[in-house]
Amino acid sequence: MVILVTGGAGYIGSHTCLELLRAGHQVIVVDNLCNSSREAVNRVEKLAGKSIIFYQADVTDEAALAAIFAQHTNIDGIIHFAGLKAVGESVVKPQQYYYNNIVGTLVLSKMMAQFGIKNIVFSSSATVYGENEIPFVETMSLGVPTNPYGQTKLMSEQILKDMAVAHQEWSVVLLRYFNPVGAHESGQIGEAPQGIPNNLMPFISQVAAGRLEKLNIFGNDYPTPDGTCIRDYIHVCDLAEGHVRALEKLADKSGVHVYNLGTGQGTSVMQLLTAFERVNQLHVPYTIAPRRAGDIAAFYADASKAERELGWRAVRDIEAMCRDTWRWQTMNSHGYDQ
Ligand code: NAD
Ligand code: UD1
């Protein structure tokens, strides 16, 4: 298949492009590089031994997108990763988040209708469940996101669901990711956050590298066995494989298809930290800090639907996630900007 990947230079996008190429698909990337580097795409090409067609363009730019779709009349489907994703920043810059993430989804929907493209896979998030019973199951009623970022995921899901009603031949796949971590085992591609990381694994990794002084554990008085929050960490390569599987299974199967992509296993902040230290044989200083606003004590996926229907399940464990994160960190101490 010929797949247009928005946000394909980013963290999850780059790993997915590699999996797509390996599975024999052709890849066209559209990315404005607002949170990524062209070098990620170069490295994916090297790893796969195949080339990618790359456009530096903004998915909210309708004219630029129309020109790309007019140029490539053989596109079979879209994977839509492009978006802004920092929860805290979305509270401070809501206009930017709603504009970028919602208009991007709207423009792509318009292109699909205009150019007769029937397949789209969308990067959603477990954040759409809000505070809910665990494990989170696809059939649950969705929660109320507490921040603009989460709202953009809920709204984009709704836009695509409505588009699928209006265009009954479309296949809309909504993939709800849990907590993606890790990097490709080659150490060539990984997560390269700009500035101080917001998420736990890149923060641990930068403390271990001596770039940050210590980890702040946000709360140890949650109602969990060790008092720290529990999440469902999933290796980014498992996540990437999940996209390829979803695309191959569901292309041209009309309707809306929703899947959790997680492991189904909960790991606490303290467990992740000690696993990282043990696997990589190093010490990560930490301190207990106050709870972070908006955090939920514990959530993890019911990942059985993806296994049942797609034949996909996450196979890489916490040790692999910690090892691959650290390999990427040590081989690329400043991300792609060496
Ligand atoms: P990322 O920031 O590494 O990748 C996003 C990519 O989109 C970047 O390359 C960025 O330059 C590009 N982009 C952003 N706005 C754009 C625009 N208007 N036009 C063109 N390109 C644009 O983030 P990621 O972690 O790879 O996340 C990918 C997707 O998955 C996002 O939609 C994110 O919200 C979603 N998601 C991520 C996580 C996570 O923990 N990383 C969890 C759940 C959902
Ligand atoms: C966060 C977002 C979520 C988004 C996800 C993936 C919030 C409230 N939620 O999820 O919407 O989909 O990222 O991008 O931001 N932690 C520390 N110290 C740190 C960083 C994190 O103790 O320096 C703790 C957090 O309190 C949390 C856990 O580690 O309990 C995981 O945090 P994080 O990696 O930010 O992911 P989520 O909060 O699950």
Side-chain angles (χ1 to χ4, degrees), residues 70-222:
Q71 173 89 17
H72 301 278
T73 50
N74 57 347
I75 294 170
D76 297 297
I78 297 171
I79 306 184
H80 180 30
F81 292 107
L84 300 174
K85 63 161 185 177
V87 171
E89 186 183 60
S90 80
V91 175
V92 183
K93 300 177 177 170
Q95 190 276 340
Q96 205 173 314
Y97 271 69
Y98 283 113
Y99 189 86
N100 194 71
N101 293 4
I102 301 298
V103 176
T105 302
L106 287 170
V107 168
L108 281 172
S109 309
K110 187 170 175 182
M111 294 299 118
M112 289 176 70
Q114 198 169 319
F115 292 92
I117 292 160
K118 289 187 258 171
N119 299 299
I120 184 163
V121 175
F122 174 65
S123 297
S124 190
S125 164
T127 194
V128 299
Y129 291 109
E131 209 151 351
N132 228 317
E133 273 171 51
I134 44 175
F136 292 172
V137 190
E138 291 88 344
T139 46
M140 276 177 164
S141 48
L142 299 179
V144 182
T146 53
N147 55 74
Y149 165 76
Q151 289 286 1
T152 69
K153 290 296 168 196
L154 199 60
M155 288 179 187
S156 288
E157 282 202 4
Q158 191 58 50
I159 289 166
L160 292 170
K161 286 176 187 165
D162 291 343
M163 291 299 291
V165 173
H167 299 270
Q168 300 227 336
E169 70 285 11
W170 283 19
S171 164
V172 168
V173 183
L174 307 175
L175 299 181
R176 295 180 180 152
Y177 313 157
F178 282 68
N179 288 58
V181 296
H184 189 259
E185 62 179 11
S186 64
Q188 291 298 312
I189 54 172
E191 185 171 16
Q194 295 176 350
I196 296 176
N198 300 303
N199 299 115
L200 180 61
M201 187 67 116
F203 203 104
I204 290 178
S205 165
Q206 291 199 11
V207 173
R211 290 186 65 190
L212 296 167
E213 191 197 336
K214 59 179 175 2
L215 170 70
N216 292 304
I217 293 184
F218 298 139
N220 68 347
D221 56 353
Y222 284 97

Side-chain angles (χ1 to χ4, degrees), residues 270-280 318-319 322:
M270 198 54 96
Q271 285 173 324
L272 188 71
L273 174 64
T274 50
F276 191 94
E277 291 184 315
R278 188 180 65 249
V279 168
N280 298 312
I318 287 285
E319 278 70 28
C322 293

Side-chain angles (χ1 to χ4, degrees), residues 243-324:
H243 285 73
V244 177
R245 191 64 63 86
L247 199 67
E248 289 174 345
K249 280 262 179 187
L250 300 169
D252 301 327
K253 294 214 169 52
S254 60
V256 177
H257 313 278
V258 185
Y259 293 95
N260 286 339
L261 295 187
T263 64
Q265 300 287 324
T267 303
S268 75
V269 174
M270 198 54 96
Q271 285 173 324
L272 188 71
L273 174 64
T274 50
F276 191 94
E277 291 184 315
R278 188 180 65 249
V279 168
N280 298 312
Q281 302 199 341
L282 39 77
H283 175 60
V284 179
Y286 73 89
T287 189
I288 303 298
R291 290 182 177 195
R292 182 173 69 179
D295 273 344
I296 294 171
F299 65 81
Y300 48 88
D302 177 331
S304 60
K305 186 182 176 202
E307 179 159 13
R308 218 169 37 245
E309 297 184 7
L310 303 178
W312 170 91
R313 73 184 171 85
V315 293
R316 294 165 179 86
D317 60 14
I318 287 285
E319 278 70 28
M321 300 178 211
C322 293
R323 196 171 47 241
D324 293 342

